[in-house]
Amino acid sequence: MTGTVTHDPPPAAGGGRQGGPLIITEDAGLLDDLLRLCAAAGATPEVHHGVPERRGSWEAAPLVLVGDDAARRVRGAARRRGVVLVGRDQDDSGVWRRAVEIGADHVLMLPDGEQWLVDRIADVAEGVGRPALTVGVLGGRGGAGASTLACALAVTSAREGLRTLLVDADPLGGGLDVVLGGETAEGLRWPAFAASRGRVGGGALEESLPELHSLRVLSWDRGDCVTVPPQAVRAVLAAARRGGGTVVVDLPRRVDSGVAEILAQLDLGLLVVPAELRAVAAAGRVASAVGMVLRDLRVAVRGPYAPGLDDREVARLLGLPLVGDVPVEPGLQHPPGSGRPPGASGRSPLARFCKEFWERALVEARAA
């Protein structure tokens, strides 16, 4: 059981890890439970029997967990946001009065409220701020160049100094780590997260992934696993977004339950369409399926152009906003794994296209 008493939660800091919560209780059993939940959230708490004597500890803690046994001892403390009164007796109606007396934001009863509390502790420990601008890229037909554009966008974002995570959501695509020349790089791949449930720590996720070209990559291994449960996909992508910066997702053209979980968390999608009538027809079907979940879908057109077609005409036929013409990067004639990823040359037409895209998209995100 959880309940809100008065205030909003304290505002999250804009990036970087904060300290763990302040725990105030003399109940040994309750303390054991709270320490266990802090460990699950990846946080190290400060523990006291009453209001800390050290100046500033009460005021500075990002979250204060007050055991119901300690409510009387903190009654005279300065009012602040981010105080949770934690108890066990579901039938004790007096807990609400005690929560008001200490200015608590929430009343929480264990064990029912454990998952809520783990999420809250993890939020303050990670210093959750603005979520990452999350962009999905998918092809209007096979061979459209969506994976190339996804890699180029991620490489460009990292080169601009943004915290960047590239997610390979197409298990049959051969692996984006291969495109980036890092198939042997140490780090976890999707199958390692197949059993994930609930919340995944953002910092732990990032540190576990291969780092290639100044960005983190979540790709597939060369094993037999080609599916991850939807709840695991949801938890992993949510953790990726909590770190801020940008997240780029290379999507397959089919929409299954796992892809739907990703689409629901995207800020916008880019549909890469070769400028030929058959590709436009195929892209229309993809756009129809994706548009059932993703509200902001835009088209990026790739030449060469068939007679009578240009990028504006392709966008008009699809009824989608136009991002622009995706340039061809000559250096991509090198085989995959050559160590030179798409967008690696900051002066190339493709890199300039990606840089201009991020400049516009980030301005839109800040204005939203």
Side-chain angles (χ1 to χ4, degrees):
M1 175 185 119
T2 64
T4 302
V5 179
T6 49
H7 314 297
D8 295 326
R17 293 186 68 86
Q18 301 186 43
L22 171 64
I23 297 176
I24 300 177
T25 184
E26 286 186 323
D27 184 329
L30 180 61
L31 178 59
D32 285 344
D33 282 339
L34 293 177
L35 291 176
R36 172 175 55 82
L37 297 177
C38 285
T44 303
E46 180 180 343
V47 180
H48 293 270
H49 296 319
V51 177
E53 296 181 1
R54 180 160 57 88
R55 185 178 180 85
S57 292
W58 168 269
E59 293 81 3
L63 182 68
V64 179
L65 308 178
V66 179
D68 193 28
D69 66 290
R72 289 188 179 87
R73 295 193 295 278
V74 303
R75 193 180 297 166
R79 294 300 174 102
R80 52 153 294 166
R81 293 187 292 172
V83 175
V84 179
L85 183 62
V86 186
R88 296 176 182 277
D89 187 353
Q90 303 275 1
D91 298 323
D92 181 7
S93 60
V95 69
W96 299 98
R97 173 181 51 79
R98 293 190 291 276
V100 171
E101 290 174 349
I102 67 173
D105 298 324
H106 289 84
V107 171
L108 179 139
M109 291 296 171
L110 299 181
D112 292 358
E114 286 192 355
Q115 187 57 58
W116 181 93
L117 188 54
V118 168
D119 289 346
R120 184 71 179 277
I121 295 169
D123 278 343
V124 300
E126 292 183 14
V128 174
R130 180 186 290 274
L133 175 59
T134 307
V135 178
V137 186
L138 69 161
R141 67 156 169 78
S147 295
T148 296
L149 180 57
C151 289
L153 285 169
V155 168
T156 302
S157 171
R159 186 170 52 245
E160 293 298 309
L162 296 170
R163 175 260 187 192
T164 306
L165 198 152
L166 176 61
V167 178
D168 183 356
D170 186 357
L172 304 181
L176 292 187
D177 53 352
V178 176
V179 178
L180 296 174
E183 63 270 24
T184 61
E186 292 186 2
L188 299 183
R189 268 67 173 181
W190 266 117
F193 299 98
S196 298
R197 300 292 186 274
R199 184 189 179 101
V200 175
L205 170 68
E206 188 167 355
E207 292 170 5
S208 73
L209 299 178
E211 182 174 7
L212 303 168
H213 307 283
S214 301
L215 59 96
R216 298 285 180 167
V217 183
L218 175 55
S219 190
W220 296 85
D221 60 17
R222 263 40 77 182
D224 295 332
C225 176
V226 293
T227 59
V228 172
Q231 58 267 37
V233 173
R234 178 173 61 249
V236 168
L237 189 59
R241 298 185 72 236
R242 283 197 300 272
T246 67
V247 174
V248 181
V249 186
D250 182 31
L251 291 160
R253 287 182 294 131
R254 70 183 185 281
V255 179
D256 57 20
S257 55
V259 172
E261 291 288 355
I262 294 174
L263 292 173
Q265 295 194 54
L266 294 182
D267 294 301
L268 63 94
L270 298 181
L271 182 65
V272 184
V273 183
E276 57 179 30
L277 287 176
R278 186 178 179 186
V280 173
R285 303 187 72 172
V286 175
S288 178
V290 170
M292 297 177 67
V293 184
L294 177 62
R295 289 179 294 177
D296 190 352
L297 181 64
R298 310 177 192 184
V299 61
V301 184
R302 184 175 63 80
Y305 289 85
L309 282 182
D310 60 18
D311 53 359
R312 290 182 176 83
E313 179 64 8
V314 172
R316 187 191 69 79
L317 290 171
L318 292 172
L320 296 173
L322 176 64
V323 171
D325 174 82
V326 182
V328 175
E329 186 165 317
L332 294 184
Q333 301 306 317
H334 298 303
S338 63
R340 185 176 177 81
S345 172
R347 298 180 180 179
S348 72
L350 180 57
R352 290 198 298 270
F353 172 89
C354 292
K355 182 178 180 180
E356 291 170 3
F357 167 80
W358 285 124
E359 288 173 349
R360 294 192 304 268
L362 289 167
V363 168
E364 292 176 9
R366 294 187 188 106

